[in-house]
Amino acid sequence: MDYIIPALPLLLEGAAVSLFITIIGMILGGILGVFAGLARLSQVKFIKLLGTIYVDFFRGTPLFVQIMLIYFGVPGLLNSLNQYWVTNYGEELLASTSMDPWVAAILSITLNSGAYIAEIFRGGVQSIEKGQMEAARSLGMTHGQAMRYVILPQAFKRVIPPMGNEFIMLLKETSLLSVIGFEELARKTQLEVARTFASFELWLTAAFIYLIMTFTFSRLVDMLERRLDTGD
Amino acid sequence: MIIEVKNLYKNFGKLEVLKDTSCSVKEQEVVVVIGPSGSGKSTFLRCINKLEEPTSGTITIDGYDITDPATDINYVRQEVGMVFQRFNLFPHKKVLENITLAPLKVRKSSSQESDKKALELLEKVGLSDKADAYPSQLSGGQQQRVAIARALAMEPKIMLFDEPTSALDPEMVGEVLAVMKQLAKEGMTMVVVTHEMGFAREVGDRVIFMDEGRLVEEGNPEQIFKNAQNERTQAFLSKIL
């Protein structure tokens, strides 16, 4: 307790950052995921291929590697590009090639969650019975109208539980952002432990904070699911 | 001729489901399509509103060649209502909304106008009290009657029925057939795929027997049921009558 109480404000501040970056990731990733999911469902081969490459890459590689690639890899590439420009044209192409941890955090979390959400979204759309699209089309609706008024509202309800899971997974995985010094909960805990050496107490506290957040959130999703459970 | 099908072929991959099928339907005619399962009768019906893309041949609906890619199929479909075996009501919408959705979004009717029309149609199919129910709260027979009302809300010139009573419990078949009979009496042009031979006999102006993707025999119900010429027709009828 001697170590936990004084560290709490810092840890909670970290927890707020974790939660915030997760919410941002879910919102931006949600938008990206809908587009990528639609691309995966597209009849146009090239668009479908783009969607598939994106989804496969970000689902098939560790988030840790993605974070490193974005935080260290991309500035490295930009720097080489700048060097090349200076050598050949005698002037700077880019004013700065460094990457802010916040930018790297938002980018990596968004790109990663977007890939998972794309698959959730695609699965939701494909889980709607074929007869729904046929009934809508037989009434003279265009494909777009049928999607908008018939398929997507039903798919939306079905993706709530997997989206809840994705939120919880993402919240836990934001702890990986500590490797780039992004001061979310895990990083704050690391810093406190380095200062006080109270490893067990502080990491246990961090675990509890994560648990409280994920537990609360999964209850919220359950409630939402029950609330929307009318009709079918 | 309001429906004119010429030399229709439909393949699913290597499987030939329809082979050189030609057929035409007059205005106000009720054509009943019968045949063993897998004979291609549902596929034939689904080609008429292009839910299945014909492999070759032409289909003309009320003067529009729907096999021509330049034809606006969404427009033609407004004229062709369809009722499915599995109802396919929209589960997230109330009964009234199921019926008004297409008139609102496709025909751009006002909401008063489409509500009024929907309530009239619900009365016609005997479900005035179910306007605010969700499809899942209705029996199969009630759902199918709502589905008929939903198709009628677009004021189609033609109604297609794809085994409309096959997914129903026996005691509910009658109520759906009664609505269809009424519709036929009012002069709706109908193409009905069904196993209800009583309906075919009583309501059909013409019966078409299909087998193995071909139109084998057609004639008025009397001819087909009492005096079928083709032996495959005879064999089929002897099994089910």
Side-chain angles (χ1 to χ4, degrees):
Chain A
M1 277 302 159
D2 291 351
Y3 295 107
I4 297 170
I5 304 286
L8 262 185
L10 263 170
L11 295 194
L12 289 175
E13 194 186 307
V17 172
S18 294
L19 197 59
F20 180 70
I21 197 84
T22 307
I23 291 169
I24 297 273
M26 287 298 285
I27 293 171
L28 297 180
I31 296 166
L32 181 63
V34 167
F35 282 106
L38 284 173
R40 292 266 281 153
L41 289 166
S42 172
Q43 307 286 334
V44 185
K45 285 228 170 75
F46 178 68
I47 294 177
K48 190 173 180 161
L49 180 69
L50 285 183
T52 305
I53 290 171
Y54 163 63
V55 168
D56 283 354
F57 182 82
F58 282 93
R59 275 167 36 113
T61 55
L63 177 59
F64 177 82
V65 174
Q66 293 162 19
I67 293 167
M68 299 302 264
L69 188 61
I70 289 169
Y71 187 67
F72 297 111
V74 171
L77 176 73
L78 293 179
N79 200 37
S80 309
L81 204 69
N82 219 14
Q83 290 294 322
Y84 172 84
W85 213 264
V86 171
T87 326
N88 286 281
Y89 303 96
E91 55 182 84
E92 300 263 335
L93 176 67
L94 300 157
S96 158
T97 56
S98 69
M99 170 113 26
D100 184 85
W102 269 94
V103 175
I106 290 172
L107 265 178
S108 54
I109 292 294
T110 297
L111 286 168
N112 184 270
S113 69
Y116 283 92
I117 292 171
E119 285 301 90
I120 292 172
F121 176 77
R122 184 175 71 98
V125 168
Q126 286 181 333
S127 76
I128 306 299
E129 212 201 323
K130 214 172 121 242
Q132 291 289 309
M133 178 55 93
E134 290 183 350
R137 296 305 303 273
S138 78
L139 290 162
M141 285 187 219
T142 61
H143 187 268
Q145 286 173 322
M147 282 298 270
R148 180 165 162 205
Y149 300 117
V150 176
I151 306 297
L152 293 181
Q154 294 183 65
F156 174 72
K157 248 200 267 184
R158 294 204 189 162
V159 304
I160 290 172
M163 285 291 272
N165 285 339
E166 172 60 18
F167 186 97
I168 288 167
M169 291 295 297
L170 201 61
L171 179 60
K172 292 185 293 178
E173 294 205 322
T174 54
S175 59
L176 287 170
L177 292 168
S178 57
V179 297
I180 58 168
F182 183 76
E183 296 201 2
E184 42 63 65
L185 178 51
R187 178 66 179 162
K188 290 277 194 201
T189 310
Q190 225 173 22
L191 292 173
E192 269 305 284
V193 170
R195 204 172 60 81
T196 62
F197 299 104
S199 294
F200 181 71
E201 295 90 331
L202 292 175
W203 282 115
L204 190 66
T205 308
F208 265 109
I209 297 174
Y210 278 116
L211 191 61
I212 290 165
M213 291 195 289
T214 55
F215 184 81
T216 311
F217 187 77
S218 67
R219 286 301 92 89
L220 283 174
V221 173
D222 283 351
M223 272 168 56
L224 181 64
E225 226 182 306
R226 242 171 289 140
R227 177 77 67 83
L228 288 170
D229 194 20
T230 49
D232 63 336
Chain B
M1 291 297 162
I2 193 161
I3 303 174
E4 190 103 59
V5 179
K6 277 189 199 146
N7 311 109
L8 177 64
Y9 284 81
K10 173 66 188 175
N11 303 343
F12 287 114
K14 284 201 171 128
L15 185 71
E16 286 189 310
V17 181
L18 290 175
K19 300 164 202 158
D20 199 14
T21 306
S22 296
C23 158
S24 51
V25 179
K26 288 198 295 269
E27 229 163 304
Q28 304 210 333
E29 197 179 12
V30 177
V31 174
V32 180
V33 185
I34 60 171
S37 53
S39 59
K41 52 194 194 309
S42 279
T43 306
F44 171 71
L45 193 76
R46 291 160 57 83
C47 282
I48 296 177
N49 68 351
K50 226 181 176 185
L51 282 185
E52 300 294 351
E53 186 90 31
T55 304
S56 69
T58 59
I59 301 172
T60 315
I61 305 293
D62 197 22
Y64 296 96
D65 177 4
I66 61 165
T67 45
D68 178 354
T71 304
D72 180 3
I73 187 65
N74 297 319
Y75 176 75
V76 180
R77 281 180 181 145
Q78 295 174 33
E79 310 287 313
V80 185
M82 185 156 196
V83 175
F84 299 85
Q85 183 178 350
R86 304 228 33 111
F87 331 132
N88 297 347
L89 292 178
F90 307 136
H92 60 302
K93 296 204 171 282
K94 291 178 177 176
V95 164
L96 193 80
E97 297 166 332
N98 262 275
I99 302 173
T100 56
L101 183 65
L104 284 172
K105 304 301 177 191
V106 180
R107 287 245 197 262
K108 314 280 182 210
S109 308
S110 72
S111 64
Q112 291 106 308
E113 204 182 324
S114 51
D115 279 0
K116 185 166 162 275
K117 176 87 191 160
L119 289 168
E120 280 169 21
L121 286 167
L122 278 175
E123 197 178 332
K124 181 174 178 156
V125 299
L127 291 170
S128 298
D129 54 332
K130 300 292 184 193
D132 289 323
Y134 281 96
S136 60
Q137 297 167 314
L138 305 181
S139 71
Q142 290 171 330
Q143 289 193 48
Q144 194 60 302
R145 283 185 282 154
V146 172
I148 294 172
R150 178 177 68 179
L152 290 175
M154 292 300 282
E155 301 182 332
K157 292 183 179 159
I158 300 165
M159 284 285 282
L160 308 176
F161 291 86
D162 188 5
E163 302 200 23
T165 57
S166 297
L168 297 176
D169 291 336
E171 75 270 24
M172 292 168 187
V173 170
E175 63 194 60
V176 172
L177 291 181
V179 170
M180 291 166 63
K181 259 178 230 174
Q182 177 63 29
L183 208 56
K185 215 192 285 172
E186 289 167 11
M188 177 63 79
T189 307
M190 293 163 60
V191 183
V192 185
V193 171
T194 188
H195 294 292
E196 294 292 328
M197 296 304 146
F199 177 85
R201 216 177 241 168
E202 194 184 333
V203 185
D205 296 311
R206 188 148 48 103
V207 175
I208 290 177
F209 174 70
M210 286 186 72
D211 193 23
E212 293 178 353
R214 288 180 201 278
L215 197 159
V216 175
E217 189 167 1
E218 61 178 314
N220 66 43
E222 191 77 4
Q223 285 169 328
I224 298 290
F225 288 112
K226 295 246 167 71
N227 192 21
Q229 300 301 309
N230 190 291
E231 58 186 73
R232 277 193 283 171
T233 319
Q234 291 163 354
F236 174 71
L237 289 171
S238 72
K239 266 183 239 158
I240 56 155
L241 288 177

